[in-house]
Amino acid sequence: MAETPAHGALDINEAFRSGGRSPEFLDQINKACVVMLAEAGIVPRATAARIAAGILTVIEQMKASGVARRSADYLDYEPRLAAVVGADASRLHSGRSRQDLSSTMARMNLRDGLLQEIGALNLARERTLALAAQHAETIIPAYTHGVQAQPTTFAHYLHALAAALARETQRLREAYARINVNPLGAAALATSSFPIDRKRLATLLGFDGLLENAYDANHLAPVDSALDVASALSIAAVQIGQFAQDLHTQYADTMPWFLLATGELTGVSSIMPQKRNPAALEQLRAQSSILLGEMQTVFLISHNNRTGMFDYRMYDPVPCARALQVFKLLAQVMNGLVVNKERALNEVRADYSTTTEIADALMQKADVPFRIGHHFASRLTDYGRGNKLKIHEIPYAEAVRIYREQTQQALPLDEAAFREAISAEYMVYGRKGIGGPQPVEVNRMLAEAGEGVAADQTWLADATGRLAQADAQLARAFDTLRAG
């Protein structure tokens, strides 16, 4: 199996190797290792205490130097420690390899990114649900094949997005559970002859368990762990990009039924003073596309590669900056959406998206087979469009004539029932099924979605708290060792 390049050799991943919080995590790893080595009797306690003091000195030296970008490569680190401690500094590396150091830093970066991403997603979900709660009775057109299909409510549509974001949060939480396990102590691929206490290392570094197989820990798991996160973020990028496109499409209308509030979310043309460009939506779509591309790069780097190669050994394999940018921008967009309820309803009434209800009403009220009603509604649509009439402008007498020509029977709906059936309000508020747009059902779903966000926030606080406790435990053990 190939080792990472020798010190000083060309490394195509150097740009990534100090990404994220890798140098900080290397410090934590070194502290945990020296504590464990002393506790296990691998390094004499007095020697371990000197190494611990040297670790702290190196940390302080680097802070004082003002170096903006520290290397997280242990072969760069050890000479600095040796300059303080002497030859015994190399005892810190007992039973270790840059292989398991790299795997451990990668996992610490991944879990740190996941916690930030989940927090940002939770905020976007909260904003989405808050906006939806204002629009349980705001009727809007919904589209299939890019054509107005049926009316629904803005709250119903936004809840759909919130549900997708909830699944995204679930994917990230599931990824966290698989990632927050400890590879440290696996050495290169087969552990070492030192009695390394891997469970103690896991506890000190806040991991919930072990990546037991040492070969897997460094050569297989680093691949699927990064892909786990990249896959989830790719799905989020696609769904958020679709949302941005849904909203952006409305800007082609001379009178959109929604707009972004003027200000930082909207730009003014440099030459056309009347134009208000939806800059935030364009950025949301573009950044989602870039995020998708970056996540596919994670797959491509790992594809068609032998285990043990360094291509996929990035210390920060899935940087979280782009995902955070997308999630935070989504929350901003939710804050800036202004909906014109009357305009949205007029958009529904301007087309024929309520004709489905005619077929349903004929079957429910007069036992007319659905396909007969469907054909009648289709012919009624053709008549109305051919005469440049909106559906509510079609004379009842014409509806009766068309039905009789088709079926040789009288239309079994009186005018009041016919007008009711073609009403957008009747179609939306009269839904009966679970998950429909009727306000009672939407409000139920919104309440449950809010509970889901609260549960995810509790999980996030617990996960963050457990890491803080591990950090505190490590600090106490390290300070005790250093004090002798």
Side-chain angles (χ1 to χ4, degrees):
M1 297 298 115
E3 287 284 339
T4 48
H7 184 52
L10 177 64
D11 182 352
I12 63 171
N13 285 324
E14 182 56 34
F16 299 95
R17 288 197 168 278
S18 293
R21 296 169 58 192
S22 300
E24 176 186 340
F25 292 146
L26 178 61
D27 291 338
Q28 289 182 274
I29 291 167
N30 287 336
K31 289 179 179 181
C33 284
V34 76
V35 168
M36 180 277 299
L37 290 170
E39 291 176 349
I42 297 171
V43 174
R45 190 169 185 84
T47 303
R50 286 195 300 109
I51 295 172
I55 290 171
L56 188 60
T57 298
V58 170
I59 292 172
E60 292 171 346
Q61 288 175 344
M62 292 305 300
K63 288 181 179 178
S65 71
V67 174
R69 183 174 178 269
R70 292 169 54 193
S71 170
D73 189 332
Y74 186 74
L75 291 184
D76 292 331
Y77 175 89
E78 188 174 280
R80 295 198 297 271
L81 184 63
V84 177
V85 177
D88 280 336
S90 63
R91 294 179 183 270
L92 177 61
H93 208 51
S94 302
R96 295 196 319 189
S97 165
R98 280 197 298 167
Q99 305 280 333
D100 61 337
L101 287 176
S102 172
S103 297
T104 306
M105 281 185 281
R107 285 181 178 275
M108 295 173 80
N109 272 312
L110 284 171
R111 75 180 180 188
D112 181 63
L114 282 169
L115 294 177
Q116 293 183 64
E117 288 153 359
I118 290 170
L121 258 182
N122 284 345
L123 176 61
R125 290 164 63 195
E126 285 180 347
R127 300 282 173 81
T128 303
L129 294 173
L131 182 61
Q134 302 172 30
H135 293 285
E137 297 186 4
T138 300
I139 295 175
I140 65 169
Y143 303 84
T144 63
H145 301 279
V147 178
Q148 190 178 146
Q150 289 185 348
T152 186
T153 66
F154 199 42
H156 190 232
Y157 172 78
L158 289 174
H159 177 268
L161 175 64
L165 297 179
R167 292 191 295 275
E168 183 59 34
T169 307
Q170 182 182 43
R171 291 185 191 99
L172 294 177
R173 282 182 54 176
E174 290 169 351
Y176 185 92
R178 288 186 286 272
I179 284 163
N180 197 34
V181 285
N182 177 40
L184 192 60
L189 58 88
T191 70
S192 73
S193 58
F194 292 100
I196 301 297
D197 188 345
R198 297 186 64 199
K199 291 182 179 179
R200 178 61 170 156
L201 291 172
T203 298
L204 291 171
L205 294 174
F207 289 110
D208 294 328
L210 297 180
L211 262 169
E212 288 191 352
N213 186 295
Y215 195 107
D216 178 35
N218 292 331
H219 299 283
L220 278 75
V223 176
D224 66 68
S225 295
L227 298 185
D228 212 355
V229 177
S231 177
L233 294 179
S234 293
I235 295 171
V238 170
Q239 290 176 321
I240 294 172
Q242 287 180 324
F243 168 75
Q245 279 292 80
D246 278 356
L247 299 189
H248 193 276
T249 297
Q250 297 301 318
Y251 268 78
D253 198 304
T254 55
M255 293 182 62
W257 52 262
F258 89 94
L259 288 168
L260 288 171
T262 56
E264 63 179 8
L265 300 181
T266 302
V268 179
S269 169
S270 65
I271 188 173
M272 294 165 282
Q274 84 285 359
K275 285 187 81 239
R276 300 296 182 266
N277 299 324
L281 287 180
E282 293 175 322
Q283 278 298 313
L284 186 61
R285 181 188 62 203
Q287 294 300 325
S288 295
S289 296
I290 296 170
L291 175 60
L292 179 61
E294 291 176 345
M295 295 306 100
Q296 297 313 300
T297 299
V298 178
F299 279 80
L300 291 172
I301 286 173
S302 304
H303 176 60
N304 273 353
N305 213 339
R306 293 174 58 188
T307 59
M309 302 303 287
F310 66 85
D311 305 50
Y312 57 82
R313 299 298 182 81
M314 301 173 191
Y315 291 172
D316 189 16
V318 188
C320 66
R322 184 82 59 189
L324 292 177
Q325 181 181 11
V326 169
F327 297 157
K328 290 175 182 178
L329 183 55
L330 175 61
Q332 288 180 294
V333 166
M334 290 301 173
N335 272 355
L337 281 179
V338 179
V339 180
N340 186 326
K341 296 175 66 171
E342 182 179 358
R343 176 70 187 88
L345 182 57
N346 287 339
E347 184 75 8
V348 173
R349 289 172 174 167
D351 208 344
Y352 282 76
S353 63
T354 59
T355 52
T356 298
E357 198 63 22
I358 297 173
D360 289 350
L362 285 169
M363 187 166 68
Q364 292 165 359
K365 296 180 179 181
D367 199 30
V368 175
F370 175 77
R371 194 55 61 192
I372 292 175
H374 181 279
H375 288 166
F376 166 64
S378 181
R379 291 185 62 186
L380 194 68
T381 298
D382 291 340
Y383 169 83
R385 286 175 172 163
N387 288 276
K388 296 181 172 53
L389 298 173
K390 298 174 182 177
I391 188 170
H392 61 274
E393 295 173 340
I394 296 175
Y396 176 69
E398 289 300 311
V400 170
R401 178 186 63 77
I402 292 169
Y403 189 83
R404 183 175 294 279
E405 288 180 355
Q406 176 188 334
T407 65
Q408 286 74 55
Q409 296 177 8
L411 177 63
L413 298 176
D414 61 23
E415 184 166 3
F418 173 75
R419 296 296 175 195
E420 181 182 63
I422 61 175
S423 160
E425 293 88 343
Y426 176 80
M427 186 169 183
V428 170
Y429 302 150
R431 301 291 93 179
K432 303 296 184 184
I434 294 174
Q438 62 272 33
V440 170
E441 184 64 4
V442 166
N443 288 330
R444 178 193 67 78
M445 292 189 292
L446 291 177
E448 291 185 0
E451 292 172 0
V453 174
D456 286 329
Q457 283 291 84
T458 298
W459 177 91
L460 180 61
D462 289 345
T464 304
R466 286 194 298 272
L467 291 182
Q469 290 172 2
D471 287 348
Q473 182 179 359
L474 173 58
R476 288 192 298 270
F478 181 78
D479 288 344
T480 299
L481 173 64
R482 184 172 57 87

